[in-house]
Amino acid sequence: MTTGGPRPVPVLLAVGETMAMVGPAVAEPLRTAELFRMDAGGAESNVAAHAAAGGVTARWFSRLGADPLGDRIIDRLIARGVEVSAVVRDPRHPTGLYVKDPGSGVHYYRRGSAASHLDVADAEAVALDDVALLHVSGITAALTGSAPAFLDALIERARGAGVPVSFDVNHRAALWDAATAARPLAALAARADLVFVGRDEAETLWATGTADEVRAHLPEPGLLVVKDGDVGATAYDAAVSTFVPSHRVDVVEPVGAGDAFAGGFLAAHLRGADVAAALAAGHARAALTLTTTGDYPDERNPA
């Protein structure tokens, strides 16, 4: 016998470092800009914010400093519909910071951050009871301190609890070079149920040229999504591949678009969309983010 009430909203738990993000208010070089914006910037919390916009319950867990930058991040994520009640505030270590230089990349100031001190005890304390999907990324594996052990323990705990794991490869060359990162990132991908990777970063890491070659290198995940910038994205669901082209937009700043894509995809996936519809939802969120200097679009004034 079935009951008539509404179906419960799926819960996405995203885990990883978020920093205060500073960038020019308009797309101009950092050296000459006069006006700046400060926002919350981190791959996993970005994914949570975009997933919340897609209609799922999104939670984010990490450590933040007990400082005004941490306060600002908490306030910003709450405003975007992300649940943050479990976040640990660390009085001994600061919130990390990064600065965007449009057209030239990103400058990180994160060494010794609170998030780098995530540890196995934190992994054991994270509530998983109602979580439909855990989302993590390779950035946590690249941090110094105890964060890599935290990530390993959290994935193992989720798998033991029957919680599917989503993993974004997210190779950050500023944190570790490709030769160092290639093997551990592939090993993490092999333990996940759903994996996101850029075709270009896969080529850098594993010398794979095409999306099919990426799939051959990463056969383990049940669902693999290979993103190819302004070309499109290909999803491999078991033996079936599905390609959906990217939107055509005037790009202001590309940083953050991959997180937006993942958040849009995961929200649609958790709500039962087929692979093509989930890819389209990912592209829609990425297109919004590409038109702003931030990691999350101000949809009232995206420029």
Side-chain angles (χ1 to χ4, degrees), residues 53-283:
V56 302
T57 297
R59 296 179 186 147
W60 172 69
F61 175 78
S62 188
R63 283 179 172 264
L64 290 171
D67 50 35
L69 293 181
D71 296 339
R72 190 178 182 101
I73 288 169
I74 289 288
D75 292 345
R76 192 57 55 94
L77 294 178
I78 290 172
R80 291 173 181 164
V82 178
E83 295 182 3
V84 295
S85 60
V87 172
V88 176
R89 304 303 299 273
D90 185 338
R92 296 177 299 164
H93 305 103
T95 300
L97 173 73
Y98 76 99
V99 183
K100 282 189 172 184
D101 190 358
S104 298
V106 176
H107 303 275
Y108 294 102
Y109 305 91
R110 73 200 310 171
R111 185 177 297 276
S113 70
S116 71
H117 290 84
L118 286 162
D119 58 24
V120 172
D122 289 315
E124 293 298 326
V126 175
L128 296 174
D129 294 348
D130 62 346
V131 172
L133 185 71
L134 169 68
H135 179 76
V136 294
S137 90
I139 297 172
T140 306
L143 297 180
T144 58
S146 53
F150 160 83
L151 178 63
D152 181 73
L154 181 60
I155 291 173
E156 194 63 26
R157 184 165 167 250
R159 289 173 62 85
V163 176
V165 176
S166 165
F167 176 69
D168 193 331
V169 171
N170 250 330
H171 173 234
R172 292 291 189 265
L175 295 175
W176 51 354
D177 61 39
T180 305
R183 187 176 299 233
L185 288 176
L188 286 165
R191 297 168 66 193
D193 301 279
L194 192 167
V195 171
F196 297 95
V197 64
R199 189 201 59 77
D200 54 348
E201 69 178 338
E203 185 172 11
T204 299
L205 288 165
W206 307 306
T208 53
T210 66
D212 285 349
E213 289 174 357
V214 178
R215 182 49 162 171
H217 191 78
L218 300 176
E220 299 91 352
L223 182 55
L224 171 70
V225 180
V226 182
K227 303 168 293 179
D228 194 4
D230 60 2
V231 176
T234 304
Y236 295 85
D237 187 1
V240 179
S241 66
T242 304
F243 172 80
V244 173
S246 300
H247 292 198
R248 294 289 175 259
V249 298
D250 293 326
V251 177
V252 171
E253 170 58 53
V255 176
D259 304 331
F261 178 92
F265 183 99
L266 291 175
H269 175 69
L270 285 171
R271 295 178 68 190
D274 62 26
V275 169
L279 288 169
H283 286 316

